[in-house]
Amino acid sequence: MNKLKFRMQPNLTNEAMPFAPDEQSFAKWLDLLSSKNGYEICRELASAFHVMNSMDISPRFRFICLYQAMPLVNEVAEKLESVYLDSGFPLSEEETSNVEILVWVYTQLTMNFSDLSHQLESIDSNWSKQEQAQILFSAMYAASQVLLHISQVYASVQKGFWLNCYRNYIRAETLGLLNIPVNMSHVKHTTIASIFKQMLIFSCCDTDCFRVSEMNTLFNLLEECVETISLTNAIELEAIQGVFQLNLDVDEAPTKCLQFQAEPQNNTRYIATLPVVNNLITAAQKRKDKKSNYRFIDKDLLFRVAEVLTKKRTRKYTRIVSTENARGYIGFKSIVSMLAKIQGVDNETIKVKFEHDPRIAGSWQVPDLDLVPEGDEIAYNLNQKKSGHLAIDPKAAKIHKLGALASSGNKIWSQPEPIELLNKIPFGDFLILNSSIKGYALIWNSEDQRIKVGELFAVQQPEFNELEIGQIRRISRLEDEDLILGIELMGMRSELVWIILLDINKQQGQMAIYIPADSILHQPESIVLDTHCLKPGQTIEVHREKHRTLYRTGKILHVTAALQHIELVAINEGCN
């Protein structure tokens, strides 16, 4: 199954140059253009660049036009991108148009700067070294934006994209331009080498596993940490793990290095990703936003990126090919509403439960536990693993040494608003392609349901009331426009429960999804919430029908922008 390639720009052969071939005329046109809306600005610029690339005009005039237009394109791109950055998928017509026009305008910039770079190797070239570096840097920067925006819609780049980037890199390497600093508005990079490495590492990160906003975060983090990473033409046998390779003569993105080559291969380059992970962690620490309520997202993002970049990914469980139909529910509220319907719970029951002030049975005290600050769950888990409380690959523990990530914020769980159950519960039908005991690959058929990576997902098999609970781990688009979802299961059974966070001064409650222990899956008891209100080591009371049980919260099993999945460790002393 081939991944969908991004749509090419429509034919613009009938378009004419909107300004005279002189700097004054172009400056006036650009000034008038800047007052229009963002989409129209990009559309007219893309059209002008397309015409310019096919006209016999002064190379220096073309360079001036492209260079002066780039800041406006970058400024408009931020506004257009914000419309879809946190949207579900598939995108609306407006959001799709925004993505397409950004890809097309940056593609035209790439093509024009690349075309200009062809004459740099000419003997009678009158470009200075600084101007040569600026031309190839601009071509590479525009290409990096094409890669980012195409990745954000889970598509693949157009034919010839990587080969063009590689040729520009070879040209810069031949001319000795890779490390010459250049300046560009809105851009932190200063060299061709650094922006090229940012693109390479980003393409290695399996971006189908991330939300659009997470891709943006990752791309920006990479901008800050690739300067010291090296591209080499040979590697040592013992260093092959966590190394990617690329062939500068082949139109393909970098791939994992699986076979050792004793002799250096012509135009083959290697890039080690272990230093990238260490640099990412450092970059994340430096840019930590103290005002954000979602500081943990960056850490979970780093954890997943580290696994992709440094580990050989193999399936742990056998996949069984299937052609079965089933029904899916997306999001915490929809799934809670469906569980409430199955269990015979209504809004009135929840309202009474929410207003009720339960009293603790028994004569025990809240233990003095080592609570973990909100936002540092990943660091806590990694420290647990490192100290031997949990089984972990020692290499991964070394890679993810995040113990230094500590937060001073100990937030108390604020009283959540009660969820109003849905009377009409949205659902989507899908076809199961294959499955294992830990997940599904499925074709999603519901266009009116917008989805995101990391979203809570429930599977309901035909003629069964039970809901299997999981999360969307990846989104892929195929050439026939099918939307393929990868679902990782958290549990094969689920139940709606009420949980109480026990505190010396107050007791607070909210709904959660309880997932029972499963010995086959080696899975502990756990709960899923739509807020990030629990920390490892807290004491909670779980109400299941007429039973109440005391638990201590264990490790964070999953955390995304949409959910928190946390282990439950039973406390011997229970409630009646």
Side-chain angles (χ1 to χ4, degrees):
M1 295 186 291
N2 294 323
K3 192 172 179 180
L4 178 71
K5 288 197 177 291
F6 196 86
R7 189 162 81 93
M8 299 292 285
Q9 187 173 357
N11 197 330
L12 299 173
T13 54
N14 295 326
E15 297 286 341
M17 182 79 84
F19 48 84
D22 63 74
E23 294 181 34
Q24 186 176 0
S25 177
F26 173 77
K28 184 177 181 181
W29 175 78
L30 194 65
D31 184 56
L32 291 172
L33 183 63
S34 63
S35 62
K36 297 186 178 182
N37 68 65
Y39 180 89
E40 189 61 26
I41 289 173
C42 288
R43 191 197 68 78
E44 293 196 30
L45 282 172
S47 175
F49 296 155
H50 175 82
V51 175
M52 193 182 297
N53 199 34
S54 60
M55 289 184 66
D56 183 19
I57 57 176
S58 161
R60 191 163 293 278
F61 171 67
R62 194 203 301 193
F63 170 73
I64 291 170
C65 292
L66 296 170
Y67 186 71
Q68 290 182 356
M70 186 77 88
L72 178 59
V73 175
N74 289 339
E75 184 180 326
V76 169
E78 289 183 12
K79 296 176 182 177
L80 293 182
E81 186 184 52
S82 65
V83 174
Y84 64 84
L85 199 57
D86 201 37
S87 297
F89 202 83
L91 299 179
S92 68
E93 187 175 336
E94 179 192 1
E95 291 163 344
T96 300
S97 296
N98 284 355
V99 179
E100 287 183 339
I101 200 63
L102 287 177
V103 169
W104 294 340
V105 73
Y106 278 118
T107 297
Q108 289 299 332
L109 281 166
T110 303
M111 292 171 63
N112 271 270
F113 278 117
S114 297
D115 189 58
L116 277 175
S117 72
H118 291 166
Q119 60 181 275
L120 297 182
E121 293 171 294
S122 171
I123 298 176
D124 59 349
S125 173
N126 61 352
W127 299 97
S128 68
K129 278 285 186 181
Q130 191 68 38
E131 289 172 331
Q132 291 178 23
Q134 186 68 65
I135 289 170
L136 281 163
F137 177 88
S138 300
M140 201 70 79
Y141 170 76
S144 75
Q145 298 306 297
V146 171
L147 175 63
L148 173 61
H149 294 302
I150 287 179
S151 299
Q152 288 174 342
V153 289
Y154 305 100
S156 61
V157 294
Q158 307 100 321
K159 184 178 179 180
F161 173 84
W162 283 109
L163 194 56
N164 181 64
C165 291
Y166 295 161
R167 285 172 179 169
N168 284 334
Y169 175 80
I170 292 172
R171 188 169 289 118
E173 187 178 50
T174 302
L175 295 171
L177 306 174
L178 288 178
N179 297 303
I180 293 179
V182 298
N183 293 315
M184 181 182 290
S185 177
H186 288 69
V187 180
K188 292 181 182 178
H189 277 297
T190 59
T191 67
I192 298 165
S194 62
I195 199 163
F196 182 62
K197 288 182 286 188
Q198 180 191 19
M199 294 173 64
L200 296 179
I201 298 297
F202 182 74
S203 71
C204 295
C205 288
D206 191 11
T207 54
D208 285 359
C209 296
F210 302 110
R211 289 188 174 211
V212 176
S213 55
E214 288 177 333
M215 289 184 212
N216 227 44
T217 298
L218 173 59
F219 195 79
N220 291 332
L221 276 175
L222 287 172
E223 186 178 46
E224 301 171 26
C225 73
V226 296
E227 196 72 47
T228 59
I229 307 304
S230 298
L231 271 177
T232 61
N233 60 2
I235 55 168
E236 299 295 330
L237 176 60
E238 59 272 16
I240 193 170
Q241 186 175 0
V243 171
F244 285 73
Q245 66 180 37
L246 56 141
N247 188 326
L248 297 174
D249 295 323
V250 179
D251 186 28
E252 292 179 359
T255 56
K256 271 250 173 90
C257 187
L258 302 176
Q259 191 172 11
F260 176 71
Q261 300 286 347
E263 295 294 328
Q265 301 296 303
N266 187 36
N267 273 352
T268 295
R269 298 290 188 275
Y270 300 92
I271 185 164
T273 52
L274 178 58
V276 175
V277 175
N278 294 329
N279 289 357
L280 275 172
I281 293 168
T282 302
Q285 287 177 276
K286 288 180 179 178
R287 72 190 291 276
K288 194 173 182 182
D289 183 3
K290 299 293 184 182
K291 297 180 180 179
S292 172
N293 291 322
Y294 299 104
R295 286 172 288 128
F296 56 86
I297 295 176
D298 277 359
K299 286 169 227 167
D300 187 51
L301 175 67
L302 293 177
F303 194 92
R304 285 179 283 147
V305 169
E307 286 194 320
V308 173
L309 293 181
T310 60
K311 287 188 175 182
K312 183 179 179 181
R313 307 180 86 188
T314 57
R315 292 200 182 280
K316 295 180 181 178
Y317 304 96
T318 302
R319 287 265 171 173
I320 301 171
V321 177
S322 173
T323 55
E324 299 176 3
N325 290 290
R327 177 164 291 180
Y329 301 89
I330 298 174
F332 185 82
K333 190 170 185 178
S334 295
I335 295 170
V336 161
S337 297
M338 190 62 201
L339 287 173
K341 185 177 180 180
I342 292 170
Q343 294 172 214
V345 177
D346 56 23
N347 279 314
E348 193 59 35
T349 303
I350 290 174
K351 184 178 179 183
V352 171
K353 190 80 175 175
F354 191 84
E355 293 176 349
H356 178 57
D357 182 23
R359 299 301 174 190
I360 303 174
S363 56
W364 57 275
Q365 292 183 341
V366 177
D368 182 16
L369 299 169
D370 180 22
L371 301 184
V372 177
E374 182 180 0
D376 289 309
E377 299 87 348
I378 301 300
Y380 176 85
N381 287 336
L382 292 169
N383 284 333
Q384 276 190 312
K385 293 173 182 176
K386 184 182 175 186
S387 61
H389 293 108
L390 301 165
I392 186 173
D393 181 346
K395 290 184 180 179
K398 186 177 181 180
I399 292 169
H400 306 299
K401 191 176 180 182
L402 291 174
L405 290 176
S407 168
S408 59
N410 278 315
K411 296 183 180 179
I412 297 175
W413 187 14
S414 59
Q415 186 75 357
E417 292 293 325
I419 290 180
E420 186 79 14
L421 297 176
L422 301 171
N423 293 320
K424 187 176 180 181
I425 305 170
F427 64 87
D429 293 321
F430 59 82
L431 176 69
I432 300 173
L433 290 178
N434 58 64
S435 63
S436 73
I437 59 172
K438 284 296 289 183
Y440 293 96
L442 55 90
I443 300 177
W444 185 247
N445 296 320
S446 179
E447 293 187 1
D448 58 339
Q449 290 258 29
R450 303 184 75 174
I451 56 178
K452 298 179 183 179
V453 170
E455 200 68 75
L456 197 64
F457 191 92
V459 175
Q460 186 176 36
Q461 302 282 3
E463 301 179 5
F464 284 89
N465 273 340
E466 290 278 5
L467 295 186
E468 300 174 54
I469 301 296
Q471 63 173 305
I472 301 172
R473 272 303 193 184
R474 65 183 299 115
I475 297 174
S476 300
R477 294 171 70 192
L478 303 184
E479 284 182 340
D480 58 5
E481 296 285 358
D482 278 337
L483 196 62
I484 309 297
L485 305 187
I487 307 297
E488 180 184 356
L489 284 180
M490 301 173 183
M492 294 184 178
R493 292 181 295 141
S494 58
E495 181 183 333
L496 182 62
V497 296
W498 186 262
I499 65 169
I500 306 292
L501 172 63
L502 303 180
D503 184 89
I504 293 174
N505 299 318
K506 61 175 75 175
Q507 300 176 41
Q508 302 164 330
Q510 74 170 79
M511 283 188 294
I513 298 171
Y514 170 78
I515 299 175
D518 192 316
S519 58
I520 297 176
L521 299 179
H522 306 289
Q523 174 183 286
E525 287 182 278
S526 60
I527 55 170
V528 179
L529 303 99
D530 66 333
T531 57
H532 306 94
C533 53
L534 294 180
K535 309 164 190 175
Q538 292 180 306
T539 303
I540 64 171
E541 182 179 278
V542 177
H543 294 212
R544 297 179 61 200
E545 297 182 349
K546 296 181 180 179
H547 302 283
R548 291 191 242 165
T549 307
L550 290 176
Y551 291 94
R552 187 175 70 250
T553 53
K555 64 179 179 178
I556 303 290
L557 300 174
H558 300 95
V559 58
T560 72
L563 63 90
Q564 181 187 46
H565 182 207
I566 191 165
E567 177 188 23
L568 296 178
V569 180
I571 296 176
N572 293 332
E573 200 169 350
C575 296
N576 297 319

